[in-house]
C-alpha cells in the first residue's frame, strides 16, 4: 500500500507522539482535535488575564521526551527549557510538622531522620532500593512492552527474572507493603500518596506502584513557561514535518466498512476517509458508543466502579501568606483511610481532603520573584461521577471550606474572596474528556490484575488503534506519550505484516 492515510482523533500528548512517529514512517497524518489548542489534559486556564497551568504539573521521566524528540530528528533542549528541581515536594501535616523530599536521596534520608528518627531514615533507604528494583524489573518487561500479560511477563523475565517478579510483591497492596517499611504513619501516608499519581487508592493499589517513588527520585523538572509548552512544541514540530491539524473539530463517529475502519464523521456530518484511525480519547467513549455502534465493541472500557480518581481544582491568582510554599506542596488530611472511603465507597467529596498546591511561579525556594499575587493550582481528589452527579454549589462550598481550613491548620492563609479563581469540577472534566465521569487516569490500578486489564494499542476492530492514558502503559504524561509511540509501532507492525 502506498502512503497510507491516518486520522488521529485527539491532540493530547499521546495523539501528538503517535502523529510524529507515524509521519516519520511515511504515513500521511491528519489530527482532528475538538479543543482549540493541542495538549488535552495538559491545559492552561486564564484567570484575571494570566495563564495558569491547570492540568499536570509534575514533569518526570525526561528520557521519554528526549527519545521522542530524538526520533523526530531533533533535541528536546532545542524546543523546551527544563529545570531540574532540587526539592521534589514539601509535605505538611500541621504548622510544626513539615518534611521536604529532595532529588538527592541522601538529603531526603537526613530530613526523614530529623523528622522521624534514624530508624526511619534507614528504612527509607531500604524502601528506595526496593522501589528502584521494582521499577527496573518492570521497565522492559511491562512499561515498554506493547501488550503485557501475566504469562508473557513471566516468560519474558526468564529464570532469574522470576525471582525479581516475586520480590516486587505484585499481590500485596501498596498500603500493606509500606507498613512493613515505615513505622511512622506520616511516612506511610506520604509514600502511599504516590498511588494517586495514577488515580488510585493506596489501600487498593498493588505494591508495585512504589515504582512511582523511584520515578520521582530520578528527577522532577519544571518547564519554563508552563507545561503547555510541551504539547505546543510537539505540535509545531509535527506541523513543520508535514502533519496536518484541524482544531475545533470534534469527531462524532468512527466509520467502518466490511468490519474495517475506513474514516470518521465530523460533527457537521462531513466524512473523511482514512486507512486507519488512532483514537486518543478515553476508551470509555468508544465502549459507551459515543463514537458510533460500529466501533463500540472495539474495546472494553472500565465500568463506572473501576474508574480512577477525578479532581476538584482551584486555579488561583492569590497572595498566600504564612507558609513557605515551594513549587510542589502537599498538605495531608488527618484520616487518609476516610478520605479514600469517601471517594471510592461513598462516592462523595472527601470530608477532609489532602491538598496539593503547585506554586508555579516558584522553583526550589519560597520566593516567587515578583510582587503581589502569584499563580497557584490547588487540587483535591474527587470521585469520578461527573456524568451521574451534578455537584451543587453547597457541596463545592463545603469541600472548599474544609480544603482551605486544612491549609490554614498548616499555616497557609489564602483569602479566596480576594483571589480571582476558577473552579473545575468532575462534571467539567467529564465535559472536557467525555465518557470518563471526570476520571483523569483511565481505569484505577486497583488489584494486581488492573494494569493487565488496560487494553494495548490494537483494538478489536481492524484499522482502529488506541493511544492515551486509558490504555497501556497507563496515565501520566510520560506514560501516555509512550502509549502514542506504542500505537504507532503497532500500526507499522500491522502494515508490514499480513494483519493489514
Ligand atoms: C488536574 C490534572 C493533574 C494531573 N497531574 C499530572 C502530573 O502532575 N503529572 C503527570 O504526568 N500527569 C498528570 N496528569 C495526567 C496527565 O495529564 C494525563 O495522563 C495525560 O496528559 C493524558 O494524555 P492523553 O494523550 O492520554 O489524553 P488527553 O490529554 O485526555 O487528550 C485527549 C484529547 O482527545 C481529544 N478528543 C477526545 N475525544 C475527541 C473527539 N471525539 N473528537 C476530537 N477530539 C477528541 C480531547 O479534546 C483531548 O484533547 C494530570 C491530569 C489532570 C487532569
Amino acid at each position: 500500500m502506498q502512503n497510507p492515510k491516518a486520522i488521529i482523533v485527539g491532540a493530547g500528548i499521546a495523539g501528538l507522539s503517535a502523529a510524529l512517529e507515524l509521519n516519520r514512517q511515511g504515513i500521511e497524518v491528519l489530527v482532528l482535535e475538538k479543543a482549540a489548542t493541542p495538549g488535552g489534559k495538559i491545559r492552561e486556564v486564564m484567570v484575571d488575564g494570566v495563564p495558569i497551568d491547570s492540568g499536570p504539573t509534575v514533569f518526570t521521566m525526561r528520557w521519554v521526551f528526549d527519545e521522542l524528540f530524538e526520533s523526530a530528528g531533533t533535541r528536546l533542549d532545542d524546543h523546551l527549557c527544563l529545570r531540574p528541581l532540587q526539592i521534589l515536594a514539601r509535605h505538611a501535616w500541621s504548622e510544626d510538622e513539615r518534611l521536604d523530599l529532595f532529588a538527592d536521596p541522601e538529603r531526603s534520608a537526613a530530613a526523614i531522620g530529623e523528622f522521624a528518627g534514624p530508624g526511619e531514615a534507614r528504612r527509607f533507604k531500604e524502601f528506595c532500593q526496593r522501589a528502584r528494583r521494582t521499577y527496573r524489573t518492570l521497565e522492559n518487561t511491562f512499561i515498554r512492552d506493547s501488550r503485557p500479560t501475566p504469562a508473557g511477563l513471566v516468560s519474558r523475565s526468564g529464570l532469574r527474572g522470576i525471582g525479581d517478579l516475586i520480590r516486587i510483591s505484585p499481590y500485596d497492596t501498596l498500603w500493606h507493603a509500606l507498613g512493613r517499611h515505615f513505622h511512622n504513619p506520616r511516612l506511610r501516608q506520604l509514600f502511599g500518596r504516590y498511588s494517586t499519581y495514577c488515580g488510585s487508592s493506596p489501600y487498593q493499589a498493588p505494591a508495585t506502584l512504589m515504582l512511582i517513588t523511584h520515578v520521582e527520585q530520578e528527577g522532577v523538572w519544571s518547564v519554563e513557561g508552563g507545561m503547555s509548552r510541551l504539547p505546543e512544541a510537539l505540535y509545531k514540530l509535527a506541523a513543520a514535518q508535514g502533519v496536518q491539524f484541524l482544531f475545533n473539530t470534534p469527531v462524532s463517529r468512527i466509520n467502518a466498512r466490511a468490519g474495517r475502519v475506513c474514516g470518521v464523521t465530523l460533527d457537521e456530518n462531513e466524512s473523511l476517509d482514512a486507512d486507519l484511525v488512532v483514537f486518543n480519547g478515553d476508551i470509555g467513549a468508544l465502549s459507551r458508543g459515543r463514537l458510533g455502534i460500529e466501533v463500540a465493541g472495539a474495546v472494553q472500557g472500565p465500568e463506572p466502579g473501576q474508574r480512577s480518581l477525578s479532581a476538584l481544582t482551584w486555579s488561583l491568582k492569590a497572595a498566600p501568606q504564612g507558609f513557605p510554599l515551594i513549587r510542589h506542596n502537599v498538605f495531608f488530611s488527618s484520616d487518609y483511610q476516610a478520605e479514600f472511603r469517601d471517594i471510592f465507597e461513598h462516592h462523595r467529596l472527601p470530608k477532609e481532603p489532602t491538598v496539593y498546591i503547585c506554586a508555579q511561579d516558584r522553583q526550589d525556594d519560597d520566593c516567587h520573584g515578583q510582587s503581589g499575587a502569584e499563580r497557584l493550582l490547588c487540587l483535591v481528589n474527587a470521585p469520578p461521577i461527573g456524568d451521574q452527579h451534578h455537584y451543587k454549589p453547597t457541596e463545592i462550598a463545603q469541600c472548599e471550606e474544609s480544603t482551605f481550613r486544612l491549609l490554614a491548620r498548616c499555616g497557609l492563609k489564602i483569602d479566596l474572596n480576594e483571589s480571582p479563581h476558577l473552579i473545575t469540577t468532575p462534571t467539567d472534566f467529564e465535559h472536557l474528556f467525555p465518557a470518563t465521569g471526570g476520571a483523569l487516569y483511565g481505569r484505577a490500578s486497583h488489584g494486581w490484575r488492573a494494569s493487565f486489564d488496560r487494553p494495548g494499542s490494537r483494538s478489536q476492530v481492524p484499522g482502529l488503534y488506541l493511544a492515551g492514558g486509558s490504555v497501556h502503559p497507563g496515565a501520566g504524561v510520560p506514560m501516555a506519550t509512550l502509549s502514542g509511540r506504542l500505537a504507532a509501532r503497532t500500526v507499522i507492525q500491522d502494515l508490514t505484516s499480513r494483519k493489514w
Side-chain angles (χ1 to χ4, degrees):
M1 188 193 287
Q2 288 293 303
N3 276 349
K5 265 196 193 163
I7 285 180
I8 299 183
V9 181
I13 196 77
L16 292 166
S17 70
L20 272 170
E21 201 75 15
L22 288 173
N23 177 68
R24 187 170 70 92
Q25 300 286 346
I27 294 175
E28 210 179 293
V29 182
L30 170 64
V31 181
L32 304 171
E33 167 57 57
K34 72 182 173 67
T37 50
K41 294 188 178 82
I42 309 176
R43 59 193 271 274
E44 295 171 325
V45 302
M46 293 301 284
V47 175
D48 200 27
V50 294
I52 300 187
D53 255 346
S54 297
T57 50
V58 182
F59 183 100
T60 56
M61 295 174 79
R62 181 195 158 124
W63 60 267
V64 170
F65 307 96
D66 280 325
E67 285 184 7
L68 177 63
F69 278 92
E70 215 171 284
S71 79
T74 179
R75 291 170 62 244
L76 182 150
D77 289 326
D78 294 340
H79 300 266
L80 289 172
C81 178
L82 298 186
R83 293 210 194 97
L85 295 173
Q86 300 310 317
I87 310 182
L88 303 178
R90 176 157 293 165
H91 307 85
W93 289 265
S94 66
E95 269 193 90
D96 318 314
E97 291 171 292
R98 285 181 198 157
L99 174 63
D100 288 353
L101 287 187
F102 298 88
D104 174 1
E106 288 299 326
R107 278 183 84 188
S108 295
I112 287 174
E114 222 166 278
F115 181 80
E120 288 297 78
R122 184 174 41 76
R123 285 187 283 276
F124 165 70
K125 287 184 179 175
E126 288 163 7
F127 171 68
C128 290
Q129 276 176 17
R130 185 168 166 200
R132 187 183 314 118
R133 219 173 28 238
T134 304
Y135 179 81
R136 295 273 170 252
T137 303
L138 293 178
E139 184 184 343
N140 286 324
T141 52
F142 183 82
I143 295 172
R144 285 181 185 262
D145 192 15
S146 57
R147 184 73 185 97
T149 59
L153 203 66
V154 171
S155 75
R156 290 190 60 198
S157 300
L159 266 183
R160 212 184 129 264
I162 288 174
D164 292 340
L165 282 179
I166 292 167
R167 270 190 292 278
I168 64 175
S169 313
Y171 305 116
D172 210 357
T173 65
L174 180 61
W175 190 254
H176 187 251
L178 288 171
R180 277 193 268 113
H181 281 283
F182 297 106
H183 299 176
N184 182 304
R186 303 283 196 236
L187 295 178
R188 195 175 181 187
Q189 186 178 26
L190 189 160
F191 290 103
R193 179 180 162 271
Y194 282 106
S195 63
T196 64
Y197 281 32
C198 58
S200 308
S201 156
Y203 301 94
Q204 296 182 68
T208 43
L209 284 198
M210 66 177 65
L211 67 83
I212 302 172
T213 313
H214 175 71
V215 163
E216 211 174 78
Q217 279 173 1
E218 293 263 275
V220 174
W221 286 262
S222 67
V223 183
E224 194 175 285
M227 283 292 278
S228 290
R229 303 297 74 78
L230 171 65
E232 201 174 270
L234 292 174
Y235 156 62
K236 284 185 186 157
L237 183 61
Q241 295 188 349
V243 174
Q244 300 209 334
F245 287 85
L246 289 177
F247 293 100
N248 299 306
T249 307
V251 168
S252 56
R253 232 176 37 235
I254 297 176
N255 303 323
R257 197 179 302 129
R260 185 181 173 82
V261 156
C262 61
V264 302
T265 301
L266 307 181
D267 259 10
E268 280 84 31
N269 249 347
E270 184 190 349
S271 290
L272 302 173
D273 290 340
D275 299 304
L276 64 104
V277 171
V278 178
F279 184 67
N280 174 215
D282 193 280
I283 55 165
L286 286 173
S287 62
R288 285 170 181 269
R290 301 272 186 102
L291 280 298
I293 48 159
E294 283 160 320
V295 291
V299 65
Q300 204 181 350
E303 295 300 319
Q306 296 170 322
R307 288 170 176 168
S308 57
L309 291 167
S310 185
L312 180 63
T313 65
W314 293 260
S315 306
L316 284 159
K317 203 173 144 195
Q321 288 183 342
F323 182 96
L325 286 170
I326 55 163
R327 193 172 189 93
H328 300 296
N329 312 270
V330 183
F331 302 85
F332 280 106
S333 64
S334 43
D335 187 344
Y336 215 31
Q337 201 155 13
E339 184 175 343
F340 287 96
R341 226 183 285 127
D342 275 343
I343 294 173
F344 284 114
E345 287 175 32
H346 304 302
H347 312 293
R348 63 189 180 206
L349 289 168
K351 219 177 210 162
E352 189 192 58
T354 291
V355 188
Y356 163 75
I357 291 187
C358 176
Q360 40 204 269
D361 293 313
R362 302 179 187 230
Q363 290 287 112
D364 285 319
D365 52 32
D366 57 9
C367 166
H368 65 95
Q370 63 193 52
S371 58
E374 61 181 298
R375 298 173 303 157
L376 306 176
L377 173 70
C378 176
L379 179 153
V380 304
N381 295 321
I385 52 168
D387 51 345
Q388 304 149 31
H389 180 77
H390 181 72
Y391 287 87
K392 294 188 213 74
T394 47
E395 274 173 277
I396 303 294
Q398 227 170 42
C399 187
E400 185 170 283
E401 207 272 319
S402 58
T403 297
F404 287 85
R405 185 161 16 95
L406 170 72
L407 297 179
R409 191 184 83 203
C410 295
L412 177 65
K413 312 263 180 325
I414 296 175
D415 186 348
L416 260 193
N417 295 324
E418 293 295 319
S419 314
H421 61 275
L422 190 137
I423 296 177
T424 308
T425 68
T427 309
D428 299 324
F429 283 121
E430 155 72 21
H431 289 144
L432 287 165
F433 311 110
T436 58
L440 300 173
Y441 315 85
R443 182 190 292 267
S445 294
H446 290 166
W448 73 273
R449 264 216 68 93
S451 303
F452 297 103
D453 289 340
R454 265 188 223 113
S457 336
R458 201 177 277 118
S459 83
Q460 298 292 324
V461 177
L464 176 59
Y465 297 85
L466 312 168
S470 60
V471 310
H472 175 76
V477 178
M479 294 298 192
T481 305
L482 284 175
S483 88
R485 299 196 71 189
L486 287 172
R489 207 205 289 164
T490 307
V491 167
I492 303 305
Q493 269 170 12
D494 286 357
L495 274 172
T496 50
S497 77
R498 266 183 278 143
K499 283 208 171 83
W500 198 254

